[in-house]
Amino acid sequence: MATQKRGSSTTGWPKNSTQPSYGAKRNGTGSMALNRTISLYPLTNYTFGTKDPLFEKDPSVPARFQRMREEFDKIGMRRSVEAVLLVHEHGLPHVLLLQLGTTFFKLPGGELNTEEDEVEGLKRLLTETLGRQDGLKQEWVIEDIIGNWWRPNFEPPQYPYIPSHITKPKEHKKLFLVQLGEKALFAVPKNYKLVAAPLFELYDNSQGYGPIISSLPQSLCRFNFTYM
């Protein structure tokens, strides 16, 4: 069956938006590098301290979606960003996850402010979540976008595409790969644990980690990892 190729000008959401090319900024060219290498450092290179608890804005899931509904009427679609921080242990890539309780895991990140730049907003959120407390500035190197997820309704399900019948998604979440330095100090809120989960544990494990985190092995497979 013949297929028709759609023009690039008719695809994407929002319409008429321009997407930044992070590879083009680094390489000085108009195209992304085809062979991307990410340096991973041992988990033992990093130091983990604690700081005051970091609480969610909403006391419950229903309250969260009620606030989302109210804000959507005022400012439109929510924009969120999350960071994928990678280390290695025993020669295997691990993702740093925030664990709340015994069964809930999340990537560091959160909601952007109105008209806030997504990269600067992610750096702000990373500093609020994991930034050190000794006054030294933490440098966050945002490497690349590795995923776009959409929430079509004021409900938990999110998808890596916009369903065809949805004209106004309620939330757009972007996942960014962050290049960690050789050494770093992370201050973890007392009500969370920072755990390193191997990619093989995340793979095809949406029951344990949810659809977004469990899809990270597929999202990251286009990179070449160098174990330092």
Side-chain angles (χ1 to χ4, degrees):
M1 180 175 67
T3 59
Q4 182 178 358
K5 184 177 181 180
R6 297 180 63 186
S8 60
S9 61
T10 62
T11 61
W13 177 273
K15 292 183 178 179
N16 301 323
S17 66
T18 57
Q19 299 295 329
S21 176
Y22 299 94
K25 290 181 180 179
R26 288 193 307 275
N27 301 329
T29 65
S31 61
M32 295 284 283
L34 296 180
N35 189 14
R36 300 292 308 281
T37 299
I38 303 298
S39 298
L40 304 186
Y41 296 94
L43 178 62
T44 53
N45 277 27
Y46 301 101
T47 305
F48 304 94
T50 60
K51 60 183 176 183
D52 292 340
L54 183 65
F55 297 106
E56 298 286 338
K57 292 183 179 180
D58 311 294
S60 65
V61 173
R64 178 188 178 196
F65 288 117
Q66 179 59 34
R67 180 171 65 86
M68 182 182 291
R69 188 184 302 273
E70 294 170 355
E71 292 179 350
F72 185 82
D73 292 336
K74 297 177 182 178
I75 61 176
M77 180 182 65
R78 174 176 294 178
R79 298 182 303 132
S80 302
V81 289
E82 293 184 343
V84 178
L85 310 175
L86 296 176
V87 298
H88 79 82
E89 194 169 21
H90 307 301
L92 295 170
H94 286 58
V95 180
L96 296 183
L97 300 173
L98 291 166
Q99 180 180 352
L100 182 62
T102 58
T103 59
F104 180 74
F105 299 89
K106 62 177 289 187
L107 294 167
E111 303 169 25
L112 294 175
N113 296 324
T114 304
E115 298 184 0
E116 183 177 22
D117 177 79
E118 56 195 22
V119 172
E120 295 305 315
L122 180 58
K123 291 180 180 180
R124 171 184 63 81
L125 290 162
L126 282 171
T127 299
E128 292 176 2
T129 307
L130 296 174
R132 54 197 301 162
Q133 300 288 283
D134 55 7
L136 295 178
K137 184 179 180 181
Q138 191 115 357
E139 294 293 335
W140 305 104
V141 179
I142 312 302
E143 185 68 26
D144 206 345
I145 296 175
I146 60 171
N148 287 274
W149 287 77
W150 307 86
R151 190 188 305 277
N153 301 302
F154 300 110
E155 299 171 350
Q158 299 175 79
Y159 302 94
Y161 57 88
I162 304 174
S164 59
H165 63 285
I166 297 297
T167 58
K168 294 182 179 180
K170 307 309 182 287
E171 182 178 7
H172 179 197
K173 179 178 293 182
K174 281 189 177 182
L175 274 58
F176 290 85
L177 178 61
V178 177
Q179 173 67 71
L180 292 178
E182 182 178 359
K183 294 180 182 296
L185 168 63
F186 299 112
V188 184
K190 291 181 179 179
N191 56 327
Y192 283 97
K193 292 181 181 179
L194 190 64
V195 299
L199 290 188
F200 67 80
E201 183 178 312
L202 304 182
Y203 179 69
D204 200 26
N205 191 4
S206 60
Q207 184 175 0
Y209 292 93
I212 295 179
I213 294 176
S214 65
S215 72
L216 289 177
Q218 294 94 318
S219 300
L220 293 167
C221 70
R222 66 188 177 92
F223 296 100
N224 294 320
F225 296 131
T226 299
Y227 302 101
M228 307 302 288

